[in-house]
Amino acid sequence: TVKQLSKTFKSGDHLVTAIDKLNLDLPEATFAAIVGKSGSGKSTLLGLLGALDRPSSGSIEVHGKNVTK
């Protein structure tokens, strides 16, 4: 379960929002595809879901356990 997930990056003097307040609920054993244009945040989302990176805000829960801490 993803709740209000956001990820921003600093690029020079600008803040870039890669993911903005995403909510997502995938039941166990669900198959899902992440699709979109180049630069739309797909790799960033997968990095967050895999706990390889930390979100700027929001939470990710796997089996009821918050993996963003």
Side-chain angles (χ1 to χ4, degrees):
T1 301
V2 174
K3 296 178 184 173
Q4 294 294 303
L5 191 70
S6 294
K7 181 65 178 180
T8 56
F9 297 98
K10 191 166 186 176
S11 178
D13 294 335
H14 303 287
L15 279 180
V16 177
T17 302
I19 298 173
D20 190 24
K21 298 177 186 168
L22 175 69
N23 290 301
L24 178 66
D25 188 31
L26 295 173
E28 193 170 331
T30 298
F31 178 83
I34 308 296
V35 296
K37 294 180 182 180
S38 178
S40 64
K42 300 178 302 290
S43 296
T44 300
L45 175 59
L46 292 174
L48 292 167
L49 292 176
L52 300 173
D53 197 4
R54 293 184 134 179
S56 301
S57 63
S59 66
I60 302 168
E61 293 181 5
V62 178
H63 297 291
K65 188 174 273 190
N66 188 331
V67 298
T68 53
K69 294 184 178 181

